[in-house]
Amino acid sequence: MTRFIFITGGVVSSLGKGLASAALGALLQARGFSVRLRKLDPYLNVDPGTMSPFEHGEVFVTDDGAETDLDLGHYERFTGVAARKTDSVSSGRIYSNVLEKERRGDYLGKTIQVIPHVTDEIKDFIAIGENEVDFMLCEIGGTVGDIEGLPFFEAIRQFSQDKPRGQCIFMHLTLLPWIKASGELKTKPTQHSVKELRSIGIAPDILVCRSEGPIPDKERAKLALFCNVRPEAVIAAQDLSTIYDAPLAYHREGLDQAVLDAFQISPAPRPELSRWEDVSDRVHHPEGEVRVAIVGKYTQLEDAYKSIAEALIHGGMANRVKVKIEWVDAETFDTKDPAPYLEGFHAILVPGGFGERGTEGKIKAAQFARERKVPYLGICLGMQMAVIEAARNVAGVATAGSEEFDHEADKKRFEPVVYHLKEWVQGNYTVRRTTDDDKGGTMRLGAYTAVLAEGSRVAQVYGASQIEERHRHRYEVDIKYREKLEAAGLCFSGMSPDGRLPEIVEWSDHPWFIGVQFHPELKSKPFAPHPLFADFVRAAKETSRLV
Ligand code: GLN
């Protein structure tokens, strides 16, 4: 029997509900239970795939090709459970499913309403794969009281009623503001938020309260009394210096115990926390520091590159160094010498991205890294830019460019070294695309295999001859230029199994220069750093010793 934990938020958004859910998932695993985490988002986009990173942060891609919320990244990083398409849903998707059924005539002439049709659709989603795991954790995006969130709150209320007593619990995350002038931690916003929740029929079993410091007994008792929860189920979530302390911190505060108590699971299995103790030890006791530049476009919003930043931290853990990330806006040196901006870094990473803005700066960053022998990791667009740089400056294709960019003005002179991918093999069939396709969900998405060249650096880094990594791209390096580029020294060290799509390139005569068409950052975990990131940081550490 699967037990369900519904996680809601109140008072303000951005309290770290995703992180709390992920940490709880990790703690339940540490007690020997299997878990799956799901995110239900009230916005109307069908998925976040079409949203700007400035709006929504990074788009997290699953193996089965779903474009999802970045919280799914936290879930995977903390539990190691690979997220699936069926772990993320939005109002947009729910309504689109309901309307599709209505058009098909599935509702047999009924009037379609939020209750029961929309709420049923949400409940069906929650129940997918029921009984596969011991605990299903479902996080509801937004805060209680948001108009668009109401159907989700109503659906989880109904869901808990449909199940036998004791199979579902509710955990509510709120904020206890600290009023400096009076030196008090205020409980009133939490009381109001719980009142709002109870007015729609949901009584929380556990309150997780974000606060700057500990919760004094007096405030804890007050919260318990006014919000109708047990005092031990009021959990303090104090600000932490690193997210990787969250499982241990929540454990100390008694979160996992409170959850097991709420389900009346007794005796509670003892937790095995050595994995998190090791992770925490590695974060807090580095033996050095490396400086890595991320040369991107969405640098004002660090969430836009969330998984990359985390994967670099994991790479640091693997090498026992602190990775100091500095965000460099590629556009600043589109038409300038990048040296003043890039000198002094121990490694350079150019991440994924869309559109032309800043790409000349990224090309310059790749050139700088190649010429100065600085370790370089190019991810997706970062690989494409490294290839264009190689074509222009080493292989003699002076007008190399990408079809993604507007080259109307010099169409005749521009050579599409990176072209719009219209056809590729997925499993047993061929996917076809045109330039007029919808933008949503039409990229080459999800896990694809790459075959690694024997003796290449990547084969050595992965310790394998074949890998599976997650993709999210519409453009691709044209195989037509392989010969010219390889003659110039840029080795195509990873290819799709049919040999048509370049997946990895590397400079053979460079200490560490790798470009990958996929997103390795999505699979890195603190307790299992991704080999590419671990080795990239190792190379950075080497550079730091030389300077
Ligand atoms: N814009 C490029 C493409 O679609 C790169 C995508 C990415 O970096 N994720 O191919």
Side-chain angles (χ1 to χ4, degrees):
M1 178 190 77
T2 297
R3 293 178 170 91
F4 292 85
I5 304 170
F6 293 106
I7 298 125
T8 58
V11 182
V12 291
S13 59
S14 307
L15 283 179
K17 240 186 311 153
L19 189 61
S21 309
L24 175 58
L27 289 175
L28 291 169
Q29 283 181 321
R31 300 256 189 184
F33 297 106
S34 59
V35 300
R36 179 161 286 284
L37 287 102
R38 287 207 164 134
K39 177 89 196 267
L40 292 83
D41 267 312
Y43 53 73
L44 282 170
N45 301 63
V46 172
D47 62 40
T50 54
M51 288 191 222
S52 155
F54 288 125
E55 285 277 320
H56 196 72
E58 159 188 282
V59 173
F60 189 83
V61 182
T62 59
D63 279 330
D64 57 4
E67 297 177 283
T68 72
D69 188 84
L70 55 73
D71 276 327
L72 272 81
H74 285 312
Y75 302 166
E76 270 206 47
R77 278 188 284 278
F78 279 80
T79 63
V81 177
R84 301 180 191 149
K85 216 172 230 163
T86 46
D87 293 332
S88 163
V89 83
S90 63
S91 290
R93 165 69 64 206
I94 294 287
Y95 278 95
S96 135
N97 290 353
V98 168
L99 295 177
E100 214 173 278
K101 285 187 187 167
E102 186 271 339
R103 291 290 82 183
R104 262 202 320 260
D106 290 3
Y107 294 117
L108 304 174
K110 285 264 185 273
T111 306
I112 312 306
Q113 297 184 297
V114 172
I115 306 173
H117 301 98
V118 170
T119 47
D120 279 354
E121 191 69 28
I122 298 172
K123 288 197 284 179
D124 288 349
F125 172 81
I126 294 169
I128 292 170
E130 205 178 340
N131 296 328
E132 271 181 21
V133 286
D134 299 322
F135 286 96
M136 184 81 85
L137 285 72
C138 295
E139 178 191 345
I140 314 294
T143 42
V144 60
D146 297 346
I147 289 178
E148 56 186 12
L150 272 175
F152 287 96
F153 284 91
E154 169 61 12
I156 59 174
R157 181 196 68 75
Q158 290 178 19
F159 192 94
S160 74
Q161 284 296 315
D162 296 346
K163 294 286 173 202
R165 232 176 243 287
Q167 207 179 326
C168 302
I169 66 164
F170 295 93
M171 171 171 136
H172 191 55
L173 202 86
T174 70
L175 174 73
L176 300 181
W178 169 254
I179 306 296
K180 230 199 218 144
S182 59
E184 277 179 310
L185 206 55
K186 299 309 254 182
T187 63
K188 194 69 83 189
T190 299
Q191 294 179 39
H192 278 291
S193 170
V194 170
K195 192 169 159 203
E196 181 81 34
L197 204 56
R198 288 165 73 187
S199 75
I200 50 180
I202 295 173
D205 299 279
I206 294 172
L207 276 184
V208 176
C209 304
R210 280 297 299 272
S211 64
E212 278 176 42
I215 307 178
D217 286 344
K218 191 172 129 247
E219 274 71 23
R220 188 183 296 270
K222 199 164 167 189
L223 283 164
L225 179 66
F226 284 94
C227 301
N228 201 35
V229 294
R230 286 158 198 277
E232 336 56 275
V234 177
I235 308 294
Q238 290 183 55
D239 296 349
L240 300 170
S241 61
T242 157
I243 58 169
Y244 296 112
D245 280 342
L248 294 178
Y250 275 123
H251 176 68
R252 275 197 303 274
E253 291 298 330
L255 177 61
D256 42 336
Q257 189 59 55
V259 166
L260 298 178
D261 287 347
F263 283 114
Q264 297 187 326
I265 296 175
S266 165
R270 286 177 67 80
E272 216 304 55
L273 293 164
S274 53
R275 166 188 273 191
W276 293 104
E277 282 154 4
D278 179 52
V279 163
S280 179
D281 179 57
R282 283 172 186 270
V283 183
H284 289 290
H285 303 105
E287 285 157 11
E289 180 177 286
V290 297
R291 293 179 65 214
V292 178
I294 298 189
V295 182
K297 174 163 83 169
Y298 315 108
T299 45
Q300 301 101 301
L301 182 72
E302 292 177 15
D303 267 0
Y305 303 113
K306 187 77 195 147
S307 293
I308 291 186
E310 298 307 329
L312 281 171
I313 294 171
H314 307 162
M317 291 179 191
N319 292 282
R320 285 225 171 245
V321 287
K322 178 175 165 37
V323 178
K324 186 157 188 294
I325 298 170
E326 286 180 40
W327 307 90
V328 180
D329 184 353
E331 221 181 344
T332 6
F333 45 80
D334 258 349
T335 55
K336 277 196 247 170
D337 176 12
Y341 303 91
L342 296 179
E343 267 164 358
F345 287 108
H346 305 132
I348 294 171
L349 189 151
V350 177
F354 293 83
E356 186 167 12
R357 200 158 58 78
T359 49
E360 286 304 321
K362 292 177 185 177
I363 291 170
K364 288 210 167 95
Q367 181 179 7
F368 177 90
R370 175 178 58 79
E371 291 175 349
R372 303 275 193 109
K373 306 260 184 237
V374 181
Y376 176 95
L377 177 57
I379 293 177
C380 207
L381 188 68
M383 167 204 185
Q384 297 173 357
M385 295 308 102
V387 172
I388 290 177
E389 192 279 316
R392 283 186 193 170
N393 302 328
V394 191
V397 190
T399 58
S402 166
E403 282 186 355
E404 182 169 2
F405 313 143
D406 182 19
H407 287 283
E408 283 306 314
D410 55 356
K411 210 162 205 163
K412 266 182 244 98
R413 292 189 299 115
F414 144 66
E415 284 217 38
V417 170
V418 176
Y419 71 106
H420 189 153
L421 185 61
K422 308 257 175 41
E423 198 180 291
W424 66 88
V425 178
Q426 183 174 35
N428 287 333
Y429 62 97
T430 303
V431 183
R432 293 205 166 78
R433 296 278 184 260
T434 71
T435 34
D436 302 328
D437 283 337
D438 283 351
K439 285 277 178 285
T442 54
M443 282 190 258
R444 183 170 175 251
L445 290 167
Y448 284 89
T449 305
V451 180
L452 308 183
E454 216 178 294
S456 61
R457 180 180 289 279
V458 278
Q460 179 208 329
V461 168
Y462 275 95
S465 55
Q466 201 163 305
I467 55 164
E468 286 244 314
E469 292 282 7
R470 297 181 192 170
H471 293 67
R472 180 171 186 249
H473 64 123
R474 209 183 296 286
Y475 298 88
E476 176 69 49
V477 171
D478 196 332
I479 188 81
K480 259 196 339 229
Y481 294 90
R482 178 173 186 168
E483 226 168 274
K484 258 192 198 161
L485 286 160
E486 292 210 309
L490 187 71
C491 166
F492 283 45
S493 52
M495 298 294 295
S496 60
D498 63 4
R500 286 165 63 186
L501 307 180
E503 290 277 5
I504 307 170
V505 295
E506 60 186 63
W507 284 107
S508 348
D509 62 351
H510 189 286
W512 211 100
F513 192 114
I514 295 177
V516 293
Q517 186 54 73
F518 45 82
H519 292 274
E521 71 274 18
L522 303 179
K523 287 186 26 174
S524 188
K525 281 132 199 136
F527 44 84
H530 191 286
L532 271 177
F533 282 88
D535 207 56
F536 178 58
V537 174
R538 184 199 53 72
K541 193 173 162 184
E542 217 109 288
T543 316
S544 74
R545 289 212 181 103
L546 301 174
V547 290

